[in-house]
Amino acid sequence: MELNAVKENVVDTDVLIVGAGPAGLALAVDLARRGVRALLVERAVGLFPGSRGKGLQPRTLEVLDDLGLHHAIRAAGASYPVGMIWQDGNRQGEHRMFDESGSSEGSPYSETWMVPQWRTQEILFARLTELGADVAFGRELVGITQDRGGVTAEFASGAPVRARYAVAADGGRSTVRRALGIGMTGETVDPNPMLVADVRITGLDRDNWHVFPPADGRGFLAICPLAGTEDFQVAAQLPAGSETDLSLDGIRELVAAYSHLAPDAVTEVRWASDFRPRAAMADRFREGRVFLVGDAAHVHSPAGGQGLNTSVQDAYNLGWKLGAVLSGAAPESLLDSYEEERLPIAAEMLGLSTRVHRGEVRRGEATNQLGLGYRGSSLAVETRTGLSEDVLRAGDRAPDGIRGGVRLFDVFQGPHWTLLAVGTGPDLPELPTCRTARIPSYELYGDGVFLVRPDGYVGWAGETAEGAKRYAAEVGVQMC
């Protein structure tokens, strides 16, 4: 992936990505490892500086592992601390923020991993530069048009960009989405204003997530130590009609009013933002040659920890499809499956985030995103018959595991498809862009032959390999 030469004062590339948040960076990394010419632009002069999306769900950890970021993400974060309830300056007892969901052979990551959003983005950015790419900062998009051959983007300064496809990853107030005339339908989850800030604070231990419950309708305060830093994240819900003050004096006044801490316990405010929790989704995720990912497509309440995670997985779903079409291996119709697969997932996650916010669902098994899949997708072809409902099917996430000395996630890692034979010894077709593996019987799969997509979901499944080659040709897996 590279910045492309200017021709007649127009920068030419295959994919223009607008917005260097988690979704934009993840997509840029995925395209870079595929050798796709792409340009990632960002309006700001640097990466986002705040902790907002600090929880990485188990499924997202699998995605980041595949992108080559396992060690960096693990080193940068930690498990969430146990909540400590305070009242009148006294500890009242522990509160578990997450229901435990144990690890299993098929799911190596069992817990939400805390990494401040700014650090996750730094790690993605470092991986992008390692792959030979970069971010064009200070590039504010002011207009976008398209025709049958591509997309043209205009900026407040600098040369316009001409691309075969464009991706809006520019957040909930997406300039691209608005320019395309795509509506955003949603609701206010909670009328009370909220505030989140990264602060330096004294007088609290870093072993607990400190919770100060509402009293007399005053509001709610939580102060969480941020893994890998000296900072705490302050999150507060204020009474309806309250004004938010993001200054140092304002944060000090809030912390002192809602807790036993003195105002000067807050020594520094490093970043702060206010908002009203909202759940909203774009009316469509595609307009011609332009795709919406992340907050440009769906905006969540932060309570469920689903926003950043769903955003990264949007990018992971779209990246391999763009790569296949741009290489000529797959028909352009493959791109239709992006909205088909991701819009229902986004709708489901929006509902889940809202229920968590309202206390109807607890964090844990429900929020880890390991059970999400694409069984109803046109790309999911299941040819076996007589299967029970709980058996792995085409469209499901392909589990990890070790059989016959083969670790499946090691086989899957990378931008390729995988042709997997489980407990069966039929002849397998030659698919040179596929990685082929055979393992003994494995109960999480059942015996059969499976074509595993580059994003780790089963695309095709059969009792034998008959039909696999035909499916592969339709979705762009090259054959001998």
Side-chain angles (χ1 to χ4, degrees), residues 55-396:
L56 298 177
Q57 303 293 352
R59 178 56 188 156
T60 304
L61 294 174
E62 294 178 356
V63 172
L64 296 175
D65 189 349
D66 181 53
L67 295 178
L69 301 174
H70 168 76
H71 295 295
I73 288 292
R74 297 303 288 183
S79 301
Y80 271 77
V82 174
M84 176 59 65
I85 306 296
W86 289 84
Q87 186 173 10
D88 300 326
N90 298 309
R91 296 174 183 260
Q92 299 299 304
E94 295 183 348
H95 172 69
R96 297 286 173 177
M97 298 293 189
F98 296 85
D99 288 337
E100 293 186 7
S101 53
S103 62
S104 66
E105 185 177 14
S107 305
Y109 303 111
S110 60
E111 62 176 340
T112 304
W113 193 244
M114 185 200 293
V115 183
Q117 182 174 327
W118 63 264
R119 185 69 185 114
T120 297
Q121 292 184 199
E122 282 187 347
I123 291 169
L124 284 163
F125 179 68
R127 177 63 172 145
L128 186 63
T129 58
E130 182 182 72
L131 291 166
D134 204 349
V135 178
F137 290 107
R139 295 281 272 152
E140 180 182 0
L141 184 138
V142 295
I144 189 165
T145 58
Q146 59 180 312
D147 52 46
R148 293 184 62 183
V151 177
T152 301
E154 302 284 345
F155 297 87
S157 62
V161 174
R162 178 70 175 174
R164 290 179 63 183
Y165 297 98
V167 180
D170 53 343
R173 297 182 177 91
S174 171
T175 300
V176 176
R177 188 188 67 236
R178 294 180 181 187
L180 295 172
I182 298 177
M184 195 88 166
T185 303
E187 63 173 336
T188 299
V189 174
D190 192 323
N192 294 351
M194 293 194 69
L195 176 150
V196 61
D198 295 350
V199 305
R200 295 285 172 86
I201 199 166
T202 61
L204 291 175
D205 66 74
R206 299 188 63 85
D207 299 323
N208 292 110
W209 185 344
H210 303 279
V211 179
F212 303 88
D216 302 325
R218 290 186 305 156
F220 173 89
L221 177 69
I223 303 177
C224 181
L226 290 170
T229 77
E230 297 178 9
D231 300 342
F232 287 81
Q233 184 192 70
V234 168
Q237 183 184 65
L238 311 179
S242 300
E243 295 293 327
T244 53
D245 183 348
L246 304 181
S247 68
L248 174 59
D249 285 343
I251 302 296
R252 281 174 163 172
E253 181 180 342
L254 182 149
V255 169
Y258 286 37
S259 75
H260 61 276
L261 299 172
D264 60 5
V266 180
T267 61
E268 182 182 357
V269 175
R270 301 174 64 79
W271 167 83
S273 177
D274 59 348
F275 61 97
R276 280 172 172 76
R278 186 166 179 257
M281 190 168 73
D283 297 339
R284 55 191 183 279
F285 285 9
R286 180 183 184 184
E287 179 67 29
R289 290 179 169 269
V290 185
F291 300 85
L292 308 185
V293 300
D295 287 356
H298 41 79
V299 177
H300 304 243
S301 160
Q306 302 298 294
L308 182 152
N309 294 275
T310 304
S311 299
V312 167
Q313 290 169 55
D314 289 344
Y316 195 53
N317 181 284
L318 181 59
W320 71 268
K321 297 171 182 178
L322 282 170
V325 171
L326 288 166
S327 71
E332 191 169 15
S333 59
L334 176 65
L335 297 174
D336 295 338
S337 67
Y338 170 68
E339 179 178 277
E340 176 193 3
E341 292 186 340
R342 292 308 298 170
L343 193 149
I345 293 291
E348 183 178 347
M349 293 301 97
L350 280 173
L352 177 60
S353 296
T354 299
R355 292 194 298 276
V356 172
H357 184 101
R358 293 172 176 166
E360 299 167 4
V361 177
R362 280 185 54 80
R363 303 172 183 89
E365 194 75 34
T367 56
N368 65 23
Q369 298 203 356
L370 291 173
L372 300 180
Y374 307 121
R375 284 192 182 186
S377 168
S378 60
L379 298 184
V381 177
E382 178 61 68
T383 67
R384 297 169 297 167
T385 59
L387 300 177
S388 61
E389 187 61 29
D390 59 350
V391 168
L392 182 79
R393 294 170 180 261
D396 292 348

Side-chain angles (χ1 to χ4, degrees), residues 5-84:
V6 175
K7 181 179 180 181
E8 298 180 354
N9 297 320
V10 176
V11 177
D12 180 73
T13 192
D14 283 330
V15 180
L16 170 66
I17 307 168
V18 182
L25 286 163
L27 178 59
V29 168
D30 198 20
L31 293 177
R33 68 175 182 162
R34 299 174 187 281
V36 173
R37 293 190 316 146
L39 174 61
L40 174 57
V41 299
E42 167 57 46
R43 179 179 61 182
V45 297
L47 295 173
F48 172 74
S51 67
R52 182 181 289 132
K54 66 181 182 296
L56 298 177
Q57 303 293 352
R59 178 56 188 156
T60 304
L61 294 174
E62 294 178 356
V63 172
L64 296 175
D65 189 349
D66 181 53
L67 295 178
L69 301 174
H70 168 76
H71 295 295
I73 288 292
R74 297 303 288 183
S79 301
Y80 271 77
V82 174
M84 176 59 65

